[in-house]
């Protein structure tokens, strides 16, 4: 606008009304009226991400879940920061483990964690980044791995062993 105050909004909706009048120039004498809404976007921004509760899969694995709320209208990447014992906060260096999730879109994001220890509490936070900025999910989520599975001293039949072997093979 070259320093001229046009009164137009740079974000939101401007309404442009075009009217044609006959020679009397009275508003009651208009013969053409057309209204156009001109909406301007907010533009790119930092992404927004949240943590959601984890799902325990077994005594040694879990799914850490989150949700990408917004990519900020720019390609966004996400990481999962996690560790046992305490919340590492919003300092990348305070976390013992980092898992790169990759490029993300709005919606759920899940990361499977394996090799976890029974009776141990784990904490996690998702982190997202794009060309405009970064975002940490808050607050951190936590989950506790269950105690180990009790073992049986009852001998298994050959059929039971075949069934368990087939189920194990299918799960791999």
């Amino acid at each position: 606008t070259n320093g001229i105050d046009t009164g137009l909004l740079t974000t939101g909706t401007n309404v442009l009304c075009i009217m044609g009048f006959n020679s009397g120039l009275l508003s009651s004498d208009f013969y053409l009226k057309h209204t156009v809404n001109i909406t301007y976007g907010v533009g790119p921004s930092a992404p927004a991400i949240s943590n959601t509760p984890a799902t325990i899969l077994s005594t040694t694995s879990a799914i850490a879940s989150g949700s990408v709320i917004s990519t900020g209208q720019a390609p966004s990447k996400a990481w999962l920061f996690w560790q046992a014992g305490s919340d590492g906060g919003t300092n990348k260096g305070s976390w013992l483990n980092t898992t790169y999730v990759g490029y993300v879109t709005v919606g759920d994001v899940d990361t499977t964690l394996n090799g976890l220890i029974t009776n141990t509490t784990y904490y996690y936070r998702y982190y997202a980044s794009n060309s405009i900025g970064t975002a940490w999910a808050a607050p951190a989520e936590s989950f506790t791995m269950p105690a180990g599975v009790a073992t049986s001293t009852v001998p298994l039949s050959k059929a039971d062993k075949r069934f368990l072997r087939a189920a194990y093979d299918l799960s791999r």
Side-chain angles (χ1 to χ4, degrees):
T1 62
N2 296 328
I4 300 170
D5 182 7
T6 63
L8 294 174
L9 301 173
T10 57
T11 60
T13 302
N14 289 291
V15 178
L16 174 63
C17 184
I18 303 168
M19 299 170 113
F21 297 95
N22 63 19
S23 61
L25 297 179
L26 300 173
S27 62
S28 61
D29 293 336
F30 72 87
Y31 64 92
L32 172 67
K33 180 180 178 183
H34 187 75
T35 303
V36 178
N37 291 325
I38 304 170
T39 303
Y40 297 94
V42 174
S45 62
I49 195 162
S50 66
N51 299 314
T52 57
T55 302
I56 307 295
L57 297 177
S58 70
T59 57
T60 60
S61 64
I63 298 173
S65 296
S67 180
V68 177
I69 299 163
S70 169
T71 61
Q73 300 178 4
S76 298
K77 298 177 185 178
W79 291 260
L80 176 70
F81 288 80
W82 61 280
Q83 66 187 15
S86 65
D87 174 11
T90 58
N91 179 347
K92 293 178 189 178
S94 297
W95 292 92
L96 296 177
N97 303 289
T98 305
T99 303
Y100 175 65
V101 176
Y103 282 94
V104 292
T105 58
V106 171
D108 295 338
V109 59
D110 294 317
T111 305
T112 301
L113 305 175
N114 294 305
L116 305 177
I117 300 169
T118 60
N119 294 320
T120 302
T121 300
Y122 289 88
Y123 293 82
Y124 66 92
R125 284 181 190 254
Y126 276 94
Y127 170 84
S129 175
N130 66 19
S131 60
I132 306 302
T134 63
W136 284 93
E141 275 291 327
S142 66
F143 61 93
T144 301
M145 295 306 295
V149 177
T151 58
S152 172
T153 57
V154 177
L156 296 174
S157 69
K158 287 184 181 182
D160 289 339
K161 288 179 183 177
R162 283 192 303 270
F163 173 78
L164 291 174
R165 171 56 71 187
Y168 174 76
D169 289 343
L170 286 174
S171 69
R172 298 178 89 208

